[in-house]
Amino acid sequence: GVQDDEVPHLKAALEPWQDVTIVITYRRFFEWLVSKYNQKFRTLHKPLADGDGVYPSIVEYFGKDRILDLYHHWYMDSRFESYRKYFDDVVVFNIHDTTDLVSEFYCTILPDAPEACHAALDRVGKDDESKEYNKSVHLDYNRIARAAYHAGLLNDGLTLEYVINAIVHRQEEVLGKTIDDFPKQCM
C-alpha cells in the first residue's frame, strides 16, 4: 500500500488526469490481519530443512502493540483520511458486500466502463481456477510440522508437504477433529 508520505507523490504522478477516483478496499480488520500473516508465512513449497526455522504464531507475530499500530496507521480509516487530503473523489469498495469482486468492481466502482462490466459478468462461474490461485491456507499444520522437524522428531528426507498431510490425516481422519480443535491463544 501507499504510505502517508507517498500520497503527495501519487497525487503528482496522477496530475495529468482530470478525473481521478481513488478506490480503497474495505476488509474486516481481523480478517485482514490473518491474510497479512498468511502472505508473510505461506511457505508450503519450501523444504523442512530450508533454515526458516519455526515461525511465530499469529499472536506472537503481531502482538498487541503491533495490532494497534496497524489499525491506526494502515487500516482503512487512516488510509481514507490520507487520500482525502489530496484527492476529491475517494470511494470505499466493501469486499464483503458481494460474492463476485471483479464484476462488482467493474460494474459499481467503474460505472463508465460498461464493456468491462459486461465482460466481467460474462465470466462469472466460468473462471473457477482463479478461486484456487490465492486460496487461504491454515498455517497451523505447517507450524506443527516445522516445530517437529526442528525438535528432531522427524526423519531426514521427509518433505514439508508429506509431514503436513500426515498431520492433517491424523487430526482430521483418524481423530475426527479439525484444525479448530487445537488450543488457541487470544489476541
Side-chain angles (χ1 to χ4, degrees):
V2 177
Q3 296 182 22
D4 284 346
D5 61 347
E6 297 171 331
V7 176
H9 300 292
L10 179 63
K11 174 69 173 172
L14 296 174
E15 201 68 50
W17 291 274
Q18 301 295 322
D19 190 21
V20 174
T21 300
I22 300 297
V23 180
I24 297 176
T25 305
Y26 170 74
R27 188 173 190 183
R28 293 178 192 114
F29 182 69
F30 284 98
E31 290 179 11
W32 176 71
L33 282 179
V34 171
S35 178
K36 189 169 179 57
Y37 174 81
N38 280 347
Q39 288 175 9
K40 176 142 179 89
F41 293 108
R42 190 183 330 198
T43 57
L44 291 175
H45 62 283
K46 294 182 180 178
L48 276 167
D50 67 358
D52 274 352
V54 179
Y55 53 87
S57 71
I58 191 169
V59 174
E60 294 163 340
Y61 177 68
F62 285 117
K64 182 181 177 183
D65 291 337
R66 184 141 190 252
I67 289 173
L68 291 172
D69 181 60
L70 285 168
Y71 185 79
H72 292 297
H73 294 102
W74 282 103
Y75 197 53
M76 198 214 42
D77 293 343
S78 64
R79 300 288 86 207
F80 185 83
E81 293 305 319
S82 295
Y83 286 109
R84 286 292 293 157
K85 289 178 191 172
Y86 295 92
F87 296 94
D88 295 327
D89 192 10
V90 180
V91 298
V92 176
F93 179 50
N94 184 346
I95 67 169
H96 302 289
D97 285 347
T98 183
T99 56
D100 183 29
L101 293 173
V102 175
S103 61
E104 184 72 20
F105 180 82
Y106 284 117
C107 299
T108 304
I109 302 297
L110 301 176
D112 296 330
E115 293 85 10
C117 174
H118 292 300
L121 290 170
D122 286 345
R123 71 150 233 335
V124 174
K126 297 176 186 172
D127 193 15
D128 290 336
E129 113 180 11
S130 67
K131 293 177 183 173
E132 294 297 316
Y133 174 72
N134 192 23
K135 190 175 182 180
S136 180
V137 294
H138 287 289
L139 296 178
D140 291 341
Y141 291 129
N142 188 315
R143 291 186 66 242
I144 293 168
R146 288 184 178 282
Y149 176 81
H150 290 283
L153 301 174
L154 302 175
N155 297 330
D156 286 337
L158 295 176
T159 66
L160 179 58
E161 184 177 13
Y162 176 85
V163 174
I164 289 172
N165 288 336
I167 295 168
V168 169
H169 174 75
R170 170 131 175 95
Q171 178 74 357
E172 297 179 9
E173 303 298 323
V174 175
L175 299 176
K177 297 184 177 207
T178 69
I179 199 161
D180 294 325
D181 291 311
F182 287 113
K184 301 283 186 237
Q185 242 183 330
C186 289
M187 290 183 148

